[in-house]
Amino acid sequence: METTWAHQLRQAGLRVTRPRLSVLSVLAEHPHADADRIVTGARELHPSLSPQAVYGVLKALVAVGLARRIEPAGAPALFELRVGDNHHHLVCRSCGAVADVDCAVGAAPCLSPSDTAGFVVDEAEVVFWGLCSTCRSEDRQVLATGTPAQAQHHNRGGTRA
Amino acid sequence: METTWAHQLRQAGLRVTRPRLSVLSVLAEHPHADADRIVTGARELHPSLSPQAVYGVLKALVAVGLARRIEPAGAPALFELRVGDNHHHLVCRSCGAVADVDCAVGAAPCLSPSDTAGFVVDEAEVVFWGLCSTCRSEDRQVLATGTPAQAQHHNRGGTRA
DNA sequence: CTGTTTTCTTGACTGAGTCAAGACAAGGCG
DNA sequence: CGCCTTGTCTTGACTCAGTCAAGAAAACAG
């Protein structure tokens, strides 16, 4: 497995370094991690790793197509290793948890707008907003308990599938 | 026209103030403006207007449903007055220009994911990424002239429909 | 093993947006 | 019409995510 990362890096023309392998391994474990979580996770494998190094690694991985960057509105960017299949995302309004959804309609751009207004479209990005099952039950509990405080972002950047 | 804004504000339970009317009028002229452009534009009507006031006004307008906030990846948030019809957006990768697209499939959520992974979805947000006609011709020109520099973001936050 | 080139570390910096305290204005009431 | 309350705006400090740049370190070709 780890060896596979090395191969993929080399094939992409990137050197195989500990920071890169660490970041890849964190991404494999946490399929929708933000930069901060990646720093924390990768430091278990490479304690001296700096945030800037992670930003650099992520930029490189995205540039060669080994990772993909997604930016749900109002949250820091998330990164995932699932690339090349133009899948979409479910995002929880309450906790920020993200889940993958296979693209129903074949290859990118899986949808086409009715009127392109002169644009040449190459990708359709779809984000489904809603509440994950955990937050729904929490909200019910909150209501049942009588606590009126409205649900806020409890634990941003979740990775629960 | 201006009077209509006043009515809408009052109906929403907001006081009618010069900053709010100025922001609304800028949004009417520039249907996809970012905060910065709104500050600049609104200052023509109300020179002492501060950026923070604009942030406050925008937050209030969004909260009462008079405006909608969109956040294309990699760009500052944009605001629009077209609300309540769950339409979607075309975004130019090169200059950031945004155009509206009517939602092909009825009311929100106009799409439903195949597998909701336990989420309860209430909105499907769609962004079509591509190149606007202007940037396409510019890029062709660049190629024709032999300049190898790849197209970057020339003029973010455009409002061209 | 050595040299070249990429990559990482360290640290300063930017841009977008938030938070908080006090000044000011909108509009209800007398 | 003018005062008073309350919501809104101004001013200014601050946060968070991410970028830029210079030098140190590590990868890999030979």
Side-chain angles (χ1 to χ4, degrees):
Chain A
M1 267 305 183
E2 299 291 52
T3 327
T4 306
W5 299 141
H7 286 152
Q8 295 203 269
L9 285 170
R10 254 187 285 262
Q11 281 196 342
L14 295 177
R15 289 185 178 173
V16 179
T17 67
R18 198 117 82 82
R20 282 173 182 166
L21 293 173
S22 310
V23 167
L24 285 167
S25 123
V26 173
L27 280 177
E29 269 186 61
H30 303 276
H32 303 103
D34 61 21
D36 196 58
R37 173 186 290 274
I38 294 170
V39 171
T40 310
R43 274 188 177 150
E44 287 173 16
L45 300 164
H46 187 187
S48 76
L49 190 62
S50 66
Q52 288 72 356
V54 169
Y55 282 118
V57 167
L58 289 171
K59 193 179 274 192
L61 293 178
V62 170
V64 301
L66 285 180
R68 184 173 157 201
R69 177 188 190 124
I70 60 177
E71 293 183 46
L78 306 177
F79 296 85
E80 64 184 357
L81 293 179
R82 217 180 128 179
V83 291
D85 67 344
N86 188 241
H87 65 278
H88 304 305
H89 297 98
L90 286 155
V91 183
C92 176
R93 288 208 140 93
S94 171
C95 72
V98 174
D100 289 332
V101 203
D102 289 315
C103 181
V105 203
C110 57
L111 298 164
S112 332
S114 33
D115 172 14
T116 62
F119 283 59
V120 171
V121 173
D122 61 82
E123 185 191 344
E125 183 188 0
V126 184
V127 176
F128 297 99
W129 292 94
L131 281 182
C132 71
S133 47
T134 307
C135 288
R136 258 186 303 142
S137 27
E138 274 175 19
D139 285 357
R140 288 221 193 82
Q141 241 177 307
V142 168
L143 286 175
T145 323
T147 314
Q150 60 180 341
Q152 294 289 21
H153 285 243
H154 318 115
N155 66 60
R156 56 181 262 283
T159 306
R160 347 177 328 91
Chain B
M1 265 303 183
E2 301 289 53
T3 327
T4 306
W5 300 142
H7 285 154
Q8 295 205 266
L9 285 170
R10 255 187 283 263
Q11 282 198 340
L14 296 176
R15 287 186 180 171
V16 179
T17 67
R18 200 116 81 81
R20 284 175 180 162
L21 293 174
S22 311
V23 167
L24 284 167
S25 123
V26 173
L27 280 177
E29 269 186 62
H30 303 277
H32 303 106
D34 61 22
D36 197 58
R37 173 185 291 272
I38 294 170
V39 171
T40 310
R43 276 189 175 148
E44 287 173 15
L45 300 164
H46 188 188
S48 74
L49 190 62
S50 66
Q52 287 73 357
V54 170
Y55 283 118
V57 168
L58 289 171
K59 193 179 275 192
L61 293 179
V62 170
V64 301
L66 284 181
R68 183 174 158 202
R69 177 189 190 122
I70 60 177
E71 294 184 46
L78 305 178
F79 297 84
E80 62 184 358
L81 293 179
R82 219 183 126 177
V83 293
D85 65 345
N86 187 240
H87 65 278
H88 304 305
H89 296 99
L90 286 154
V91 183
C92 178
R93 290 209 137 94
S94 171
C95 70
V98 173
D100 288 334
V101 203
D102 288 316
C103 181
V105 202
C110 58
L111 296 166
S112 334
S114 32
D115 171 15
T116 63
F119 282 59
V120 173
V121 174
D122 60 81
E123 185 190 344
E125 183 187 1
V126 183
V127 176
F128 297 99
W129 292 94
L131 282 181
C132 72
S133 48
T134 307
C135 289
R136 259 186 302 141
S137 28
E138 275 177 17
D139 286 356
R140 287 221 192 81
Q141 243 176 307
V142 168
L143 287 174
T145 325
T147 315
Q150 60 180 343
Q152 295 288 23
H153 284 243
H154 319 114
N155 68 58
R156 55 181 261 284
T159 307
R160 347 175 332 88

